[in-house]
């Protein structure tokens, strides 16, 4: 067979003359614009003030003084130290956010954590919050780093082998976040060959891996890193619960949008140490009480409701038997 003549691959023409001058002129402005977009999406300094929870609209949780739960080792330990340590997220708008300047946490999950604390007899203002990423929640509960965890934590059977779950207190569903200039991705069926980012150790990450193997899955510790990657065109979509994605989109509506319908059910539970059934049932009682006395709805309206979705009915509490 005659050998075909191969031409050398053509290298991109080097920039010179007017093109280089133009790039030199526009690059600083481009970089500045990009930084502003990223900062706006992350709520970092320099971003325009976005309406967050207004302190006066948040419920006040009267502390259940005299409450005792001696059968719970976790409760006894917290009682001994005088405060609760609660695991949460710090970069999820309207759900769990930490103010970088003050260190104060806010959002719907944070309110749920406070409502539960007051029921258990602790001053909600005294909670020590600790940021724990999706992949580290089970370990944090197993080794006693936290007393309970409130942070978009889906209840499922696999996790139930490792931790206990009170609730659910909210129902979310997996969805997709893309840039507003993206028109090809409208649902998980469009992800073949696309770069999709999610948090490692999360159920949405697992679902893409198992059900959409042709997607190019990219994993990071947090969703805010995924969103940074989306804004800088390193990935084509971010996937996780709609409740989380709606918050990012609400903070940068010119750059980001949520597309398609939710394609899973993600019932949010409060994670507790697996063997502490007494604590789990007490938290179930706390959630039931808060849903009945209006605190749950008030908390929702003052936080997650700000993203534009009206308060749903909370899902029925499971209260599965001790095992
Ligand atoms: N709810 C999902 C999960 O628990 C996604 C959100 C998160 O990573 O916290 O895995």
């Amino acid at each position: 067979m005659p050998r075909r003549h191969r031409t050398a691959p053509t290298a991109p023409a080097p920039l010179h003359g007017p093109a280089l001058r133009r790039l030199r002129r526009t690059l600083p402005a481009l970089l500045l614009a990009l930084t502003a977009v990223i900062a706006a999406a992350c709520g970092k300094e320099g971003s325009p003030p976005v309406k967050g929870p207004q302190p006066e609209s948040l419920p006040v949780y009267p502390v259940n003084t005299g409450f005792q739960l001696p059968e719970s080792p976790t409760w006894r330990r917290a009682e001994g130290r005088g405060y609760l340590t609660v695991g949460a997220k710090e970069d999820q708008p309207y759900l769990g956010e930490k103010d970088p300047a003050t260190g104060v946490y806010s959002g719907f999950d944070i309110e749920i954590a406070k409502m539960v604390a007051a029921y258990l007899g602790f001053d909600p203002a005294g909670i020590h919050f600790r940021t724990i990423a999706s992949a580290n929640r089970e370990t944090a509960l197993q080794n006693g780093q936290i007393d309970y965890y409130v942070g978009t934590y889906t209840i499922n059977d696999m996790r139930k082998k490792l931790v206990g779950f009170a609730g659910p207190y909210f129902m979310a569903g997996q969805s997709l976040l893309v840039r507003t200039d993206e028109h090809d991705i409208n649902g998980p069926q469009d992800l073949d060959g696309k770069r999709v980012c999610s948090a490692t150790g999360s159920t949405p990450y697992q679902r893409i891996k198992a059900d959409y193997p042709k997607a190019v899955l990219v994993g990071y510790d947090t969703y805010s890193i995924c969103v940074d990657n989306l804004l800088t065109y390193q990935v084509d979509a971010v996937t996780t619960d709609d409740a989380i994605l709606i918050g990012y989109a609400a903070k940068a509506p010119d750059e980001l949008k949520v597309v398609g319908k939710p394609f899973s059910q993600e019932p949010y539970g409060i994670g507790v140490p697996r063997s502490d059934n007494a604590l789990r049932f007490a938290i179930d009682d706390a959630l039931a009480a808060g849903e009945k006395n209006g605190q749950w709805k008030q908390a929702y309206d003052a936080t997650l409701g700000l993203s534009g979705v009206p308060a749903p009915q909370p899902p029925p509490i499971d209260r599965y038997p001790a095992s």
Side-chain angles (χ1 to χ4, degrees), residues 171-185:
M171 184 62 84
Q174 184 169 353
S175 202
L176 293 167
L177 182 77
V178 295
R179 290 178 306 269
T180 42
D181 63 5
E182 168 69 64
H183 302 291
D184 295 340
I185 301 175

Side-chain angles (χ1 to χ4, degrees), residues 89 92 134 137 149 151-155 159 172 199-204 223 240-241 244 266-268:
K89 294 286 183 75
Q92 298 185 172
S134 298
R137 294 182 280 213
Y149 187 94
T152 59
Y153 198 9
T154 295
I155 305 172
R159 289 176 177 167
T200 47
S202 71
T203 48
Y223 299 110
T240 185
D241 305 335
I244 302 172
E266 308 289 333
Y268 288 173

Side-chain angles (χ1 to χ4, degrees), residues 166-224:
Y169 61 91
F170 185 77
M171 184 62 84
Q174 184 169 353
S175 202
L176 293 167
L177 182 77
V178 295
R179 290 178 306 269
T180 42
D181 63 5
E182 168 69 64
H183 302 291
D184 295 340
I185 301 175
N186 294 298
Q189 72 283 353
D190 302 325
L191 293 176
D192 289 8
K194 303 284 186 191
R195 290 173 65 82
V196 187
C197 193
S198 196
T200 47
S202 71
T203 48
Y205 181 96
Q206 277 310 324
R207 189 165 294 105
I208 296 295
K209 198 169 162 188
D211 299 351
Y212 302 94
K214 289 192 181 142
V216 183
L217 185 57
V218 179
Y220 285 108
D221 280 354
T222 65
Y223 299 110
S224 50

Side-chain angles (χ1 to χ4, degrees), residues 228-248:
D228 286 353
N229 276 265
L230 181 62
L231 287 165
T232 51
Y233 291 76
Q234 327 249 358
V235 299
D236 304 302
V238 177
T239 188
T240 185
D241 305 335
D242 49 1
I244 302 172
L245 298 178
I246 287 166
Y248 288 120

Side-chain angles (χ1 to χ4, degrees), residues 2-323:
R3 275 185 66 189
R4 260 209 237 132
H5 181 71
R6 286 193 13 196
T7 47
T10 44
L15 275 177
H16 62 268
L20 186 59
R21 275 199 296 280
R22 218 176 306 126
L23 187 67
R24 279 222 184 100
R25 232 183 306 129
T26 49
L27 201 59
L30 273 174
L31 284 176
L32 208 68
L34 199 62
T35 317
V37 166
I38 297 169
C42 307
K44 287 189 196 122
E45 62 211 30
S47 59
V50 179
K51 206 174 154 221
Q54 302 299 303
E56 64 279 4
S57 59
L58 293 170
V60 175
Y61 310 103
V63 180
N64 208 352
T65 46
F67 180 89
Q68 294 288 319
L69 199 61
E71 15 1 331
S72 160
T74 313
W75 187 91
R76 281 203 312 270
R77 222 162 12 107
E79 154 98 324
R81 83 167 90 85
Y83 60 87
L84 284 165
T85 306
V86 176
K89 294 286 183 75
E90 68 171 41
D91 64 340
Q92 298 185 172
Y94 308 116
L95 283 158
E97 265 190 302
K98 184 178 170 184
D99 183 324
T102 61
V104 173
Y105 286 73
S106 64
F108 182 58
D109 282 333
I110 304 303
E111 290 305 309
I112 294 294
K114 289 181 177 172
M115 185 176 92
V116 166
Y119 185 95
L120 296 176
F122 291 88
D123 177 5
I127 297 176
H128 286 213
F129 283 103
R130 289 183 73 154
T131 300
I132 312 274
S134 298
N136 303 331
R137 294 182 280 213
E138 290 80 27
T139 325
L141 285 166
Q142 282 168 331
N143 66 20
Q145 259 175 283
I146 51 174
D147 299 321
Y148 55 88
Y149 187 94
V150 195
T152 59
Y153 198 9
T154 295
I155 305 172
N156 67 29
D157 288 343
M158 221 165 60
R159 289 176 177 167
K160 270 192 195 165
K161 293 189 180 125
L162 305 169
V163 300
F165 283 106
Y169 61 91
F170 185 77
M171 184 62 84
Q174 184 169 353
S175 202
L176 293 167
L177 182 77
V178 295
R179 290 178 306 269
T180 42
D181 63 5
E182 168 69 64
H183 302 291
D184 295 340
I185 301 175
N186 294 298
Q189 72 283 353
D190 302 325
L191 293 176
D192 289 8
K194 303 284 186 191
R195 290 173 65 82
V196 187
C197 193
S198 196
T200 47
S202 71
T203 48
Y205 181 96
Q206 277 310 324
R207 189 165 294 105
I208 296 295
K209 198 169 162 188
D211 299 351
Y212 302 94
K214 289 192 181 142
V216 183
L217 185 57
V218 179
Y220 285 108
D221 280 354
T222 65
Y223 299 110
S224 50
I225 301 179
C226 284
V227 172
D228 286 353
N229 276 265
L230 181 62
L231 287 165
T232 51
Y233 291 76
Q234 327 249 358
V235 299
D236 304 302
V238 177
T239 188
T240 185
D241 305 335
D242 49 1
I244 302 172
L245 298 178
I246 287 166
Y248 288 120
K251 293 215 164 183
D254 294 338
E255 285 83 24
L256 301 171
K257 62 182 178 185
V258 178
V259 289
K261 290 197 179 70
F263 50 100
S264 76
Q265 287 215 317
E266 308 289 333
Y268 288 173
I270 297 185
V272 297
R274 189 178 187 284
S275 55
D276 201 337
N277 292 300
L279 181 66
R280 176 159 66 83
F281 292 138
I283 297 180
D284 279 337
D285 294 342
L287 291 172
E291 289 172 12
K292 203 161 159 219
N293 67 21
Q295 288 173 344
W296 184 96
K297 180 163 187 307
Q298 203 188 335
Y300 180 94
D301 289 341
T303 56
L304 205 46
L306 297 176
S307 68
V309 182
Q313 265 306 108
I317 293 166
D318 191 10
R319 211 184 172 88
Y320 58 90
S323 62

